[in-house]
Amino acid sequence: MIRRSGYCAGVVTFEDAAQLASALPGVTEDERRGNRTWFVAGKAFAWERPFSKADLRRFGDQTPPDGPILAVRVEDLAEKEAVLAAQPGAFFTIPHFDGYSAVLIQMRKASAKALREALTDGWLACAPPALAREYLTR
């Protein structure tokens, strides 16, 4: 992300996601299925999510979202629907994620604020309750 005169311009990147995720308590970064993944207490809350061949076939005649894609956990399916409704330009889902409490973020269309909020909410959804409470009350 390009930083100029105290504000941010440009698109968010996986490096931005890594920096934001790593700033949260108890986060570790590792690789899962060949993609960078961020964990809290052994639970993945965000990961790089390129489309598989099967994903691409499911798009049919539609053009799939381009550029880097980040998957982020949400609390539950109701929150997933709320997040998708609130961020229709950058946040989306695919059939593979039906019934799964996570959203996909097209990084080229996401704002830094939306990315930060999504990562924090994903972290809160996966963090142990005591750690989440401690974070929220600090």
Side-chain angles (χ1 to χ4, degrees):
M1 186 165 37
I2 303 165
R3 299 183 192 284
R4 295 187 191 126
S5 305
Y7 70 92
C8 298
V11 297
V12 293
T13 66
F14 284 141
E15 289 309 313
D16 295 319
Q19 184 178 27
L20 292 167
S22 296
L24 294 164
V27 170
T28 58
E29 181 181 324
D30 205 346
E31 221 176 76
R32 190 172 68 172
R33 296 182 186 95
N35 299 302
R36 287 168 81 179
T37 304
W38 293 272
F39 299 87
V40 60
K43 293 182 180 180
F45 70 94
W47 59 98
E48 295 176 353
R49 180 52 167 83
F51 293 126
S52 68
K53 289 178 185 177
D55 293 331
L56 292 173
R57 279 193 301 273
R58 287 184 193 109
F59 277 101
D61 293 336
Q62 292 181 335
T63 302
D66 65 340
I69 305 296
L70 184 73
V72 180
R73 292 293 306 267
V74 294
E75 182 67 32
D76 55 32
L77 295 178
E79 183 179 346
K80 177 179 182 173
E81 293 306 316
V83 167
L84 292 171
Q87 298 284 342
F91 290 50
F92 66 101
T93 191
I94 57 175
H96 182 76
F97 277 55
D98 286 352
Y100 185 63
S101 56
V103 295
L104 298 171
I105 303 172
Q106 187 177 7
M107 300 291 278
R108 289 183 180 162
K109 293 186 175 183
S111 69
K113 180 181 180 205
L115 178 62
R116 176 181 286 109
E117 289 174 358
L119 287 168
T120 302
D121 289 348
W123 180 88
L124 287 167
C126 294
L131 184 60
R133 273 192 307 276
E134 180 181 325
Y135 175 78
L136 291 171
T137 58
R138 65 170 176 87

